[in-house]
Amino acid sequence: MTDNKDALYAAFKAKDARFDGRFFVGVSSTGIYCRPVCRAKQPKPENCTFYASAAAAEHAGYRPCLLCRPELAPGTSITDATANLVYRAARMLEESSGSGQSLDEIAGRLGCTDRHLRRVFTAAYHVSPVQYLQTCRLLLAKNLLTDTDLPVLEVAMAAGFGSLRRFNGLFKKQYKLSPTALRKRTVEEKKHKDNLTLALSYRPPYPWDEMLHFLAGRTLAGIEVVKNGEYMRTVHLVNADGTPVYGWVRVGHDPKKDALSVTVSETLLPVLPQVLARIRHLFDLYCDPVAVYETLRVMNDIRPGLCVLGARVPGCFNAFEMAVRAVLGQQITVKAASTLASRIVQAYGAPIQTGIEGLTRIFPLPEDLMSFGGAIKDRFGVLGVTAARSTTIFELARAFVQGEIDFDLPAQPEEEMKKLMAIRGIGSWTAQYIAMRAMEWPDAFLETDAGVKKALQPYTSKELLKMAEAWRPWRSYATINLWNTL
């Protein structure tokens, strides 16, 4: 992509948001690199060099622009990557930038050797995985220095640097100024004291109201709240040394900046990269809406308005929570499923103090539900859950605990769906739904779903499945578009 300099310069000159995060521009006359949407004075073509990643631009000696802030550029979705292995590795490096996870461990999770990973990664991004990871950490630190009033030591630790000395040295070497000097150049007043607020960018258009409406209809009492145009939820994660971390997040919309505003409790600082990665997944911020629409606009030949530019697939924050909710939602209404899941939360979810009304519990851990054994049918029975579904949830929890299924990024959704359907009580609809929302699978299609069939009356399930072949690899987005028409 970065070989076609004339086309890339034209996109840069037009400030085309479709290319934001797709490439970065190094400007030799200033020594900085920018996003293609940067509003600074347009440099001459001969002064521009184009890079596939921020890491490649930094490796070439450029510093990030303080105006367009490359650390805010949106990422790419799974099917955008020409090399799936490389893409997944890059995403894992971003998410684990604060965990201290080694390249050997990441390669092992991807099912390859670290030598092979280094070779293919360098060929795709023109930097090594270690250099890419270093850039992820530096850009996260830059974001925290710019948008929060955290002490520099806490910024260094949150971004994954082992020591303040190493952080200061690397930051000054790469960006030609110290972390404190960068903070002094930031003119915005820092107002957060007990929490952090950061921006996560997306490629417009973004259907915030539709996304919020979808999540509002599925909130779990005690865990999630949708109020005043914002989404809030409790968080339970584990940090690098295995210690549980608890807190909360609040997500709002900043349409003027094409970004979501994410406020995170300061207790979540040790797992900040994980939190941000899960927010991006939940709100589908990696999506390229134009690429999706180019394929799915043929839906409008069936009936005008079936496909709308910008539709997103709501993901999830907690994969086990989503899987349990999917099992509970089989053959009943969304409201009924949410009621049952909320009862389980109230009965077995651990309490948490957040200071926010309505956020009082975390979702039960798979280990907790597995410990019930055969008694789960009695425990869930009094809550209104059938014996068959209680048993399915127990088997799901057991599979999670024993590592038989894996919804994390290295997982292959089609293989994990087969494992899911091997669990009694989980059929194609449930497996596809879980893959769509918990595994970022863009090509799930629910041909037997009542909403899909209603939106495309009078076609049969068999006819729908055949019709949807033309919508690959974006059938998950087709499903959401159909639901949005109801």
Side-chain angles (χ1 to χ4, degrees):
M1 176 180 178
T2 51
D3 291 336
N4 192 342
K5 295 184 178 181
D6 291 340
L8 293 178
Y9 186 80
F12 181 34
K13 187 175 182 179
K15 312 305 176 191
D16 194 331
R18 294 177 298 173
F19 292 94
D20 194 11
R22 297 285 185 184
F23 67 88
F24 295 85
V25 187
V27 183
S28 59
S29 57
T30 61
I32 66 170
Y33 73 96
C34 301
R35 296 158 65 182
V37 294
C38 186
R39 294 293 175 181
K41 182 180 178 181
Q42 186 73 21
K44 297 178 180 179
E46 57 267 27
N47 292 333
C48 295
T49 308
F50 301 95
Y51 299 94
S53 69
E58 294 200 2
H59 183 58
Y62 291 99
R63 306 183 306 277
C65 175
L66 297 181
L67 179 63
C68 68
R69 300 180 59 190
E71 71 270 18
L72 299 182
T76 54
S77 66
I78 288 176
T79 54
D80 291 333
T82 55
N84 195 268
L85 172 66
V86 175
Y87 161 80
R88 291 176 184 274
R91 285 277 296 273
M92 288 178 69
L93 288 169
E94 293 170 19
E95 183 171 347
S96 63
S97 62
S99 69
Q101 193 174 31
S102 70
L103 185 62
D104 283 347
E105 292 173 308
I106 291 175
R109 290 181 63 195
L110 289 166
C112 66
T113 65
D114 60 332
R115 181 180 177 184
H116 176 68
L117 180 58
R118 281 196 297 270
R119 184 170 62 251
V120 297
F121 196 99
T122 303
Y125 285 105
H126 308 295
V127 291
S128 70
V130 172
Q131 291 167 330
Y132 190 92
L133 176 60
Q134 174 182 290
T135 299
C136 290
R137 288 173 172 166
L138 285 170
L139 291 179
L140 176 58
K142 181 178 177 296
N143 200 354
L144 291 170
L145 288 168
T146 304
D147 287 346
T148 78
D149 58 359
L150 281 175
V152 175
L153 176 60
E154 292 188 22
V155 169
M157 296 302 106
F161 292 94
S163 70
L164 180 59
R165 181 180 178 182
R166 172 171 169 73
F167 170 55
N168 282 330
L170 192 58
F171 197 95
K172 192 169 184 178
K173 176 185 176 182
Q174 197 72 27
Y175 296 159
K176 312 305 179 189
L177 75 168
S178 68
T180 51
L182 172 67
R183 178 160 274 172
K184 287 178 182 177
R185 294 176 65 171
T186 305
V187 297
E188 289 187 37
E189 181 184 357
K190 312 293 192 310
K191 297 181 179 179
H192 2 309
K193 296 299 180 183
D194 299 322
N195 48 65
L196 323 168
T197 299
L198 301 170
L200 296 181
S201 297
Y202 56 76
R203 296 180 181 86
Y206 190 91
W208 174 252
D209 291 339
E210 287 85 348
M211 181 69 80
L212 213 59
H213 178 74
F214 184 96
L215 296 174
R218 293 160 176 80
T219 54
L220 293 186
I223 289 182
E224 299 170 295
V225 171
V226 174
K227 185 178 180 181
N228 298 328
E230 295 181 317
Y231 171 84
M232 295 168 276
R233 71 163 289 135
T234 59
V235 174
H236 167 238
L237 292 170
V238 178
N239 68 10
D241 61 11
T243 304
V245 179
Y246 303 90
W248 54 267
V249 297
R250 181 173 68 242
V251 184
H253 189 212
D254 189 347
K256 292 182 180 179
K257 295 182 178 179
D258 290 336
L260 301 188
S261 173
V262 181
T263 302
V264 180
S265 64
E266 199 164 4
T267 57
L268 295 176
L269 193 57
V271 291
L272 185 60
Q274 288 187 58
V275 172
L276 297 180
R278 292 183 184 221
I279 292 294
R280 288 187 179 101
H281 169 37
L282 173 60
F283 288 93
D284 198 13
L285 301 188
Y286 294 107
C287 174
D288 181 345
V290 175
V292 174
Y293 185 73
E294 284 298 310
T295 297
L296 296 186
R297 62 182 179 181
V298 296
M299 295 174 66
N300 294 328
D301 294 338
I302 302 170
R303 188 169 70 248
L306 279 186
C307 179
V308 177
L309 175 63
R312 298 304 207 272
V313 175
C316 74
F317 194 91
N318 180 321
F320 179 67
E321 172 189 308
M322 174 52 59
V324 171
R325 292 170 67 167
V327 170
L328 292 172
Q330 296 172 134
Q331 299 177 332
I332 61 175
T333 65
V334 170
K335 183 177 180 180
S338 297
T339 298
L340 290 177
S342 295
R343 289 174 185 170
I344 292 174
V345 169
Q346 295 304 313
Y348 301 110
I352 179 177
Q353 297 293 326
T354 64
I356 298 177
E357 184 180 0
L359 298 185
T360 57
R361 295 185 180 273
I362 63 169
F363 196 81
L365 302 177
E367 292 84 355
D368 297 336
L369 300 189
M370 184 183 172
S371 69
F372 294 163
I376 194 171
K377 289 185 284 188
D378 297 327
R379 294 191 180 216
F380 280 11
V382 297
L383 303 177
V385 182
T386 65
R389 285 187 187 148
S390 298
T391 301
T392 300
I393 291 171
F394 172 81
E395 291 299 324
L396 191 62
R398 182 190 59 77
F400 261 84
V401 172
Q402 297 181 359
E404 295 176 4
I405 55 177
D406 182 8
F407 292 169
D408 289 337
L409 192 60
Q412 297 295 329
E414 290 171 305
E415 293 301 315
E416 298 307 313
M417 282 190 282
K418 293 177 183 177
K419 297 176 186 177
L420 282 169
M421 288 190 286
I423 298 175
R424 186 173 183 179
I426 294 183
S428 177
W429 182 94
T430 308
Q432 293 271 347
Y433 184 81
I434 291 172
M436 180 174 73
R437 296 199 57 199
M439 290 186 272
E440 294 188 56
W441 184 230
D443 201 31
F445 188 64
L446 312 177
E447 74 276 5
T448 62
D449 180 80
V452 170
K453 294 172 78 172
K454 183 177 180 180
L456 288 174
Q457 292 177 351
Y459 294 102
T460 66
S461 296
K462 186 176 181 179
E463 289 171 332
L464 292 176
L465 195 58
K466 184 177 180 179
M467 182 188 303
E469 283 297 308
W471 304 338
R472 289 181 181 273
W474 307 112
R475 293 185 301 172
S476 295
Y477 290 87
T479 300
I480 292 297
N481 269 291
L482 294 173
W483 284 348
N484 286 344
T485 65
L486 299 178

